[in-house]
Amino acid sequence: MPPIYVKPENALKRSEELLALGTPQSQQQAFENLVEVFMSKKFKHTPVSILEPIVFKFLDLCVEMNRKAHARQALLQFKNAVQTTSVASIEKVLNHFIAQAEARLASATEQAKAEVAALPENPVVDDELPLQPTSLLLDTFVDNAGDRERIERRLIAPAQKFCWDAYDISLDIAKSNDRLEVIYQSVAHRAFSFCKVHQRKSDFRRLCEQRLRKDLTNAAKYGHQQHAINLSDPETLGRFLDTRFLQLETAVELELWQEAFRSVEDVHGLVAAGKKVAKPAMMANYYEKLTQIFKAEGGKQTAVFHAAAWARYFQYAERAGISNDKAPGSVLLSALAVPLGEVETKQRLIALLNLPKMPTRESLVKDAAGKHLKRVPADIRQIYHILEVDFQPTTACKTLAPLISSLAPEYQPYLPALREVVLSRLVQELAQVYDTVTLSHILNLVKPFENTPWATDMPSLEKFLMSACRRGDISASVDHVAQTITFVTSTAQPNRLSDLAIVLYNTIQYLNPTPVTSRADAFAAALAQAEEERKQVAHRRQIVQKRRELMEEANLRKQREESTALAERLKAKALEDERRAKEAAKQAEVDRLKKQMEDARRAEAEQLAKQLADKGALKVDIKSIEDLDSSKLVALQVEQLAKEKREHAERLRIVGKRVDHLERAMRKEERPLLVEDYEKQKVQDKIEHERLNKESKELAIQQQKASVELKNRLGRMLPDFIVARDNVESQREQEFKVAREKARAKVEEEKKKLKERLIERKKAEKAKREEERREAEERERQAAEEAEARAAEEAARAEEEAKAAAAIEAAKAEAAERAAKARAERDAQRAKDEELLKMRLAREEEAERRRAERSSGAGAYRRPGAPAPAAAETPAAAPALAPTTVKAGGWRERAAAKAAAEANGTASPTATPSSPARQASAPAPADGQAQGDAPAPERGAKWTRGMGGRGRGGATPPTSGRAPSSRW
């Protein structure tokens, strides 16, 4: 049978009625009613105006009952039903679904705040309870923070999970459809806000990777389908770019830099896919986010691209008219903050910045200085001139110290990188002049930075030198014993030696000018000096090479030793793990066997104990009983109670004894110290008493002196005080009299008003009493009339009830008469059925008798006209045709009687002569009929099947007036 179709509007009305009951069962039933509507085959043909309220109500129930799978299925069916007719309805439904999920989250948050606020600041402790170790540990390590987390996990976490699922379901419903693209972007924006507010970093990664990025890939893959996303449309591309920029901003705020970098790649891909150039404001926002991403990780590589991103940002911001006054300074400082040295080319980052080639520090500084040098503040301009135009190692630090302290807060993040640049520039300049420099000399050069953010001490200087050598900014080695730094000439620079020679020669000529020599002599001296320097350089190179080989050999030896030790540790750990695993398996097998034996023993003991307990109603723990009989159970229970009592008394005795011994030991230890302590206490008390007496005396003397001085000072102004006091008292007395008269007049006036109010109130109360009396009389009159009417109605009702009772009695009598008649008919039918049953049983007995006679020879073949056997002449043979009665007993008695008849050669003893009336009514047998044949049945009797007759299982044929055949 097909299911009954229910109209959607009727299902909605029924669900609202069930929800009005306010029980969980009614809510579940209402939910199931609405589920049947969505499962109906006629759902797609229902008008949108009817479906919308049903979907709203169903989504409300899904949010309340946390049924996200049903919500997804319902939204999918609703979308398939109305996407060709009403896209606005889908948007309305999705907005309603998300609003309900957010409302549930807000409600859960408020409830959690209320429960957290209701938590007590300090837990309530009962001082009368004894201190226990568990309670002390609990009070020490457990506080209200755990309760707060449990409350938030119980209330807020499910709501947040469902809210996130609501965003995901909505995005899944609206994806890859240009008609739902607007609501898709709106839901994505709300999901970003949710992740940002609730710090859902994992959900944000899943949203970007598994939803937005995947949907964009599918949109480009299936762009040939109907209603697919068209990224060549400027409006669609603009909305996608807005979403990706918001995604980038959210990733930056959540500090998910890897996801932010992927978002930048998404934006770059969308910009490259668009046929039109993006707006300058949008591109400026894009490059601004790039500056934040590249700044986050730090290092030489990111510093170059950070400066390039600032340059590109200012370029587009200036076009869009959104640049500020601090931007030129950031562009120049970011370029100056790029560390010295070469940078590895990154084509991926170059493409993200839309640059033709790899940016370098020189190009960035040159471009920034050429465009923004006049617009930056004066201190930044001076920093540029000191670092790039005229860098003096001896005076640079003194000049830079006041400048970095006066930089604006917006430029403070660049100070650490600028410090590295300044130190690198300083060391490089020193390397051009000196071969070996003491670290103290470098510290003296950077000493002006002591009270600035660039303060440098010996550990930080050594750390910087090691980092610079590792990066390749300088080539030097530090001698920690001599506290010097030695600069190494790189073999990759063939002109370094000649440059050094020129600088040294100019320095010597400046310090100690020599007389002019000939050109040949100077050339020969230069050749000799160059040869000497070449030998020194070669010797130094050999030393460095030898040191490098020794270090490599030591490192290899150390690595081999570490690998050997690691292999041995791993082997030992593997052997230990194998041994433990075998022991654990062996112990597990032993425990399993013990457990089986214990379980079997326990089952037997419990069965015996249950039986004994059921019989004797014993109050004994069944689990602790083992192989005991009923006599020992009572003894066991008594013994157990006595044992518990003894253990309790023993524990109390031990505790009391321990406390007694402890108190006795404490008193014994402190007894020798009491006298000494008492003497010390007396001395200290005496000293303290004397000190307090002395201080109190001095304080009393000082107070006495101050009181005397105060009395003398106040005594001089006593006459003036008395005169002023009399004047004030006389003036106040006059004012008091005037005020008293006014108060008396006001009291009289108030008394008069009060008297008038009392009179009016009494009159009103009297009128009210009169009105109440009249209303009471009216109510009594109406009550009397209503009583008379009720009495008349009751009399009429009693008369009708009497008539109805008489009719009911008559119906009962008629029903009793019909029942008696039916009972008599059933008795008659039962008597008739019993008579028929007796006749059938008699025929069966007769057939049994005949079979017995045939088997014994009495029923053998006789020639017609031959004399019958003697048994046929007996008086019992005459009534053989009449039905017989059945004796008491079953088939065993009948079988025994049959066996006896066969043995004696007589008829079955179960057959008895029938009644005389039956014998008289029985017809006489026809001539020639066999005496053993059965008589013809009466009218209405059934033929009885038996073992006799013609054929196996055949019915006994009726006798006729014809002579029997030769067979009989």
Side-chain angles (χ1 to χ4, degrees):
M1 181 177 179
I4 301 175
Y5 174 71
V6 181
K7 290 185 177 181
E9 53 269 23
N10 294 340
L12 177 62
K13 188 181 298 182
R14 175 60 178 165
S15 299
E16 291 177 350
E17 292 175 354
L18 290 171
L19 291 175
L21 299 178
T23 61
Q25 293 80 4
S26 62
Q27 186 183 27
Q28 179 66 24
Q29 191 173 359
F31 180 78
E32 293 175 356
N33 289 340
L34 295 179
V35 169
E36 292 178 358
V37 174
F38 286 94
M39 294 175 61
S40 175
K41 294 182 178 179
K42 298 183 180 180
F43 181 81
K44 293 184 178 180
H45 306 289
T46 307
V48 180
S49 59
I50 298 176
L51 287 181
E52 276 190 5
I54 296 176
V55 175
F56 286 160
K57 182 61 68 176
F58 185 74
L59 292 178
D60 294 344
L61 289 176
C62 289
V63 173
E64 188 174 355
M65 301 173 67
N66 203 14
R67 302 291 183 88
K68 63 178 181 180
H70 291 83
R72 182 189 295 272
Q73 190 66 22
L75 289 173
L76 185 61
Q77 291 188 9
F78 182 74
K79 172 193 171 184
N80 296 334
V82 304
Q83 64 180 351
T84 57
T85 57
S86 178
V87 179
S89 298
I90 301 177
E91 296 182 359
K92 190 185 301 182
V93 168
L94 291 179
N95 287 327
H96 178 77
F97 180 45
I98 295 175
Q100 290 298 320
E102 292 176 349
R104 176 188 172 186
L105 177 58
S107 177
T109 304
E110 294 297 331
Q111 185 178 356
K113 289 181 180 178
E115 292 190 8
V116 170
L119 290 175
E121 295 182 359
N122 297 319
V124 179
V125 179
D126 192 355
D127 297 334
E128 297 180 358
L129 294 177
L131 292 177
Q132 299 293 336
T134 55
S135 62
L136 289 175
L137 288 175
L138 188 63
D139 295 340
T140 304
F141 293 102
V142 178
D143 54 359
N144 290 338
D147 298 336
R148 186 180 300 104
E149 291 179 0
R150 284 191 291 273
I151 291 172
E152 293 178 355
R153 187 166 55 250
R154 176 172 53 86
L155 297 175
I156 299 179
Q160 287 182 347
K161 181 65 171 61
F162 189 86
C163 190
W164 165 251
D165 292 334
Y167 292 129
D168 185 67
I169 292 170
S170 302
L171 290 174
D172 188 25
I173 295 299
K175 68 179 181 181
S176 303
N177 195 329
D178 60 344
R179 295 173 297 181
L180 300 175
E181 191 260 334
V182 177
I183 186 63
Y184 180 86
Q185 306 297 342
S186 175
V187 174
H189 293 180
R190 297 173 77 168
F192 291 150
S193 177
F194 169 79
C195 295
K196 182 168 58 176
V197 170
H198 298 282
Q199 293 295 310
R200 308 278 289 191
K201 295 185 179 181
S202 59
D203 291 342
F204 179 76
R205 294 193 193 96
R206 189 160 60 249
L207 172 66
C208 297
E209 184 66 28
Q210 301 180 6
R211 178 57 62 194
L212 299 180
R213 204 165 287 126
K214 184 178 179 181
D215 292 346
L216 183 60
T217 304
N218 292 335
K221 183 177 180 181
Y222 303 103
H224 60 281
Q225 295 181 355
Q226 187 181 7
H227 300 298
I229 300 296
N230 184 17
L231 294 177
S232 59
D233 185 10
E235 295 182 359
T236 303
L237 181 62
R239 284 192 288 267
F240 269 91
L241 283 175
D242 292 340
T243 302
R244 290 308 184 275
F245 277 118
L246 184 59
Q247 173 182 337
L248 176 59
E249 182 179 354
T250 307
V252 172
E253 292 184 5
L254 292 176
E255 296 183 357
L256 299 175
W257 304 114
Q258 185 176 6
E259 194 60 43
F261 186 78
R262 292 179 181 176
S263 302
V264 168
E265 289 183 336
D266 295 341
V267 173
H268 182 264
L270 288 174
V271 172
K275 296 182 179 179
K276 294 185 178 181
V277 181
K279 298 179 181 179
M282 186 179 298
M283 295 304 299
N285 187 14
Y286 169 73
Y287 287 114
E288 184 182 5
K289 296 301 183 293
L290 278 178
T291 59
Q292 299 178 9
I293 293 173
F294 289 132
K295 184 178 60 176
E297 298 180 0
K300 182 189 298 185
Q301 194 74 36
T302 57
V304 173
F305 292 104
H306 174 72
W310 263 116
R312 299 288 287 175
Y313 163 76
F314 187 79
Q315 180 182 354
Y316 283 97
E318 195 172 15
R319 292 181 188 177
I322 59 175
S323 62
N324 51 18
D325 297 338
K326 303 295 183 180
S330 298
V331 174
L332 184 56
L333 277 180
S334 63
L336 292 174
V338 176
L340 304 178
E342 298 295 331
V343 182
E344 183 182 357
T345 303
K346 297 288 186 179
Q347 295 295 337
R348 188 177 179 185
L349 301 181
I350 295 173
L352 288 179
L353 288 169
N354 296 320
L355 295 175
K357 61 180 180 178
M358 180 68 188
T360 60
R361 185 180 186 278
E362 291 76 12
S363 61
L364 292 172
V365 172
K366 183 178 179 181
D367 185 67
K371 293 181 179 179
H372 312 299
L373 188 59
K374 296 181 179 180
R375 292 188 285 185
V376 300
D379 48 0
I380 299 178
R381 194 181 304 116
Q382 293 180 13
I383 293 174
Y384 167 75
H385 282 290
I386 294 170
L387 289 178
E388 302 297 330
V389 179
D390 186 15
F391 185 82
Q392 298 294 333
T394 57
T395 61
C397 297
K398 296 179 181 179
T399 311
L400 288 173
L403 295 177
I404 62 175
S405 301
S406 62
L407 279 178
E410 292 81 2
Y411 306 134
Q412 294 294 328
Y414 295 104
L415 290 181
L418 281 174
R419 172 181 175 272
E420 301 289 331
V421 173
V422 171
L423 293 178
S424 299
R425 183 77 73 183
L426 178 63
V427 174
Q428 288 180 358
E429 292 295 332
L430 292 175
Q432 293 180 4
V433 180
Y434 302 103
D435 186 18
T436 301
V437 180
T438 60
L439 296 179
S440 59
H441 179 63
I442 300 177
L443 285 177
N444 290 331
L445 292 177
V446 299
K447 191 173 182 180
F449 294 150
E450 286 184 354
N451 297 326
T452 64
W454 289 359
T456 305
D457 52 1
M458 184 61 73
S460 61
L461 178 61
E462 293 180 356
K463 182 178 180 181
F464 162 74
L465 292 174
M466 294 298 101
S467 301
C469 292
R470 186 176 62 253
R471 292 195 306 264
D473 295 344
I474 59 175
S475 298
S477 61
V478 179
D479 188 354
H480 295 279
V481 177
Q483 292 292 308
T484 59
I485 176 172
T486 303
F487 301 103
V488 180
T489 303
S490 177
T491 57
Q493 297 180 359
N495 296 326
R496 183 66 180 271
L497 188 60
S498 60
D499 295 340
L500 179 62
I502 293 171
V503 172
L504 289 176
Y505 178 75
N506 294 333
T507 304
I508 292 172
Q509 289 296 327
Y510 178 78
L511 296 176
N512 189 15
T514 58
V516 179
T517 59
S518 63
R519 184 178 180 86
D521 295 340
F523 187 72
L527 288 177
Q529 185 177 2
E531 183 64 21
E532 184 66 23
E533 290 178 354
R534 187 186 64 78
K535 291 180 180 180
Q536 293 179 359
V537 169
H539 180 66
R540 190 181 299 113
R541 187 181 298 111
Q542 291 177 359
I543 294 174
V544 171
Q545 186 68 22
K546 186 66 176 177
R547 288 180 179 177
R548 186 180 293 110
E549 291 176 358
L550 293 175
M551 291 178 64
E552 290 179 355
E553 184 179 357
N555 290 332
L556 290 175
R557 185 169 60 254
K558 184 178 180 181
Q559 290 178 1
R560 285 195 299 269
E561 293 175 355
E562 290 179 353
S563 61
T564 304
L566 179 61
E568 292 178 355
R569 288 197 300 271
L570 292 176
K571 184 177 179 180
K573 184 179 180 182
L575 293 176
E576 182 67 19
D577 293 341
E578 184 178 0
R579 184 184 63 79
R580 289 181 180 177
K582 290 181 180 179
E583 291 181 356
K586 185 177 180 181
Q587 185 65 29
E589 183 66 20
V590 173
D591 294 341
R592 186 181 64 81
L593 294 176
K594 287 183 178 179
K595 187 175 184 302
Q596 290 181 356
M597 296 173 63
E598 182 68 20
D599 291 342
R601 186 184 59 78
R602 176 68 63 183
E604 295 177 359
E606 287 182 357
Q607 183 177 4
L608 177 60
K610 286 181 180 179
Q611 294 177 359
L612 297 176
D614 293 340
K615 292 179 180 180
L618 298 177
K619 297 181 181 179
V620 181
D621 188 6
I622 297 176
K623 296 183 180 180
S624 62
I625 298 175
E626 302 176 357
D627 299 334
L628 297 177
D629 54 4
S630 59
S631 61
K632 293 182 180 180
L633 288 176
V634 177
L636 177 62
Q637 188 175 10
V638 174
E639 182 182 356
Q640 184 177 1
L641 293 175
K643 183 179 179 181
E644 291 178 357
K645 186 175 181 180
R646 288 195 303 272
E647 289 178 355
H648 183 67
E650 182 66 19
R651 285 197 298 269
L652 291 178
R653 187 187 65 78
I654 292 172
V655 172
K657 188 175 181 180
R658 186 183 296 115
V659 173
D660 187 14
H661 281 276
L662 181 62
E663 183 65 23
R664 189 180 301 171
M666 292 174 62
R667 294 187 179 184
K668 184 178 180 180
E669 291 294 330
E670 70 181 4
R671 189 178 298 115
L673 303 176
L674 289 176
V675 178
E676 183 180 356
D677 183 69
Y678 176 66
E679 295 297 332
K680 290 181 180 179
Q681 188 67 29
K682 286 197 298 182
V683 174
Q684 292 178 359
D685 291 345
K686 184 177 180 180
I687 295 171
E688 185 68 19
H689 177 70
E690 292 176 355
R691 185 182 63 81
L692 292 177
N693 286 339
K694 184 178 179 181
E695 291 179 357
S696 61
K697 288 179 181 180
E698 293 177 356
L699 182 61
I701 292 170
Q702 292 177 2
Q703 290 178 355
Q704 176 65 19
K705 290 180 180 180
S707 299
V708 171
E709 292 178 0
L710 180 61
K711 180 180 179 182
N712 295 331
R713 187 168 62 253
L714 294 178
R716 294 192 299 270
M717 51 190 301
L718 182 60
D720 298 334
F721 167 73
I722 294 173
V723 174
R725 185 186 62 184
D726 294 340
N727 294 333
V728 171
E729 288 179 354
S730 61
Q731 184 179 357
R732 288 184 178 178
E733 185 177 0
Q734 295 296 330
E735 293 176 356
F736 173 72
K737 290 180 180 179
V738 174
R740 184 172 57 187
E741 292 297 332
K742 290 182 180 180
R744 186 182 293 107
K746 188 175 182 180
V747 167
E748 294 296 333
E749 185 179 358
E750 290 296 331
K751 284 182 179 180
K752 184 177 180 182
K753 291 181 180 180
L754 178 61
K755 186 177 180 180
E756 293 177 355
R757 285 198 300 271
L758 289 175
I759 293 172
E760 292 177 358
R761 187 175 63 185
K762 289 182 178 180
K763 290 181 179 179
E765 290 176 354
K766 183 177 180 181
K768 185 177 180 181
R769 287 195 299 271
E770 291 293 333
E771 183 67 23
E772 291 177 353
R773 184 179 59 77
R774 288 194 298 269
E775 291 178 356
E777 291 177 356
E778 183 65 23
R779 284 197 297 271
E780 290 177 357
R781 185 181 60 78
Q782 292 178 359
E785 292 177 356
E786 290 176 357
E788 293 177 357
R790 282 197 299 271
E793 290 178 358
E794 290 177 356
R797 191 182 301 111
E799 185 178 356
E800 292 178 358
E801 290 177 355
K803 292 180 180 179
I808 291 171
E809 292 295 334
K812 287 183 178 179
E814 185 179 356
E817 184 178 355
R818 286 198 301 269
K821 185 177 180 181
R823 192 180 303 109
E825 292 177 355
R826 286 196 300 273
D827 293 341
Q829 183 65 29
R830 189 180 299 109
K832 187 177 180 180
D833 293 341
E834 291 177 356
E835 185 67 25
L836 291 175
L837 179 61
K838 290 178 181 180
M839 292 173 64
R840 186 168 64 251
L841 294 175
R843 285 193 295 271
E844 290 179 357
E845 293 292 340
E846 181 66 21
E848 291 290 338
R849 184 183 61 77
R850 289 167 55 195
R851 282 196 298 274
E853 290 176 355
R854 284 196 299 271
S855 62
S856 62
Y861 172 75
R862 291 184 292 107
R863 183 177 296 175
E873 297 177 358
T874 59
L881 299 176
T884 60
T885 60
V886 180
K887 286 185 179 181
W891 64 272
R892 290 185 178 86
E893 288 77 0
R894 291 195 297 270
K898 181 178 178 180
E902 290 177 354
N904 298 329
T906 60
S908 176
T910 58
T912 57
S914 55
S915 62
R918 185 66 179 172
Q919 294 177 4
S921 61
D927 295 338
Q929 182 179 2
Q931 192 174 359
D933 293 341
E938 298 178 357
R939 183 178 298 274
K942 296 182 179 179
W943 295 104
T944 304
R945 293 180 181 272
M947 297 301 295
R950 303 182 64 176
R952 185 177 179 180
T956 303
T959 59
S960 61
R962 295 179 301 172
S965 62
S966 61
R967 180 180 179 183
W968 296 96

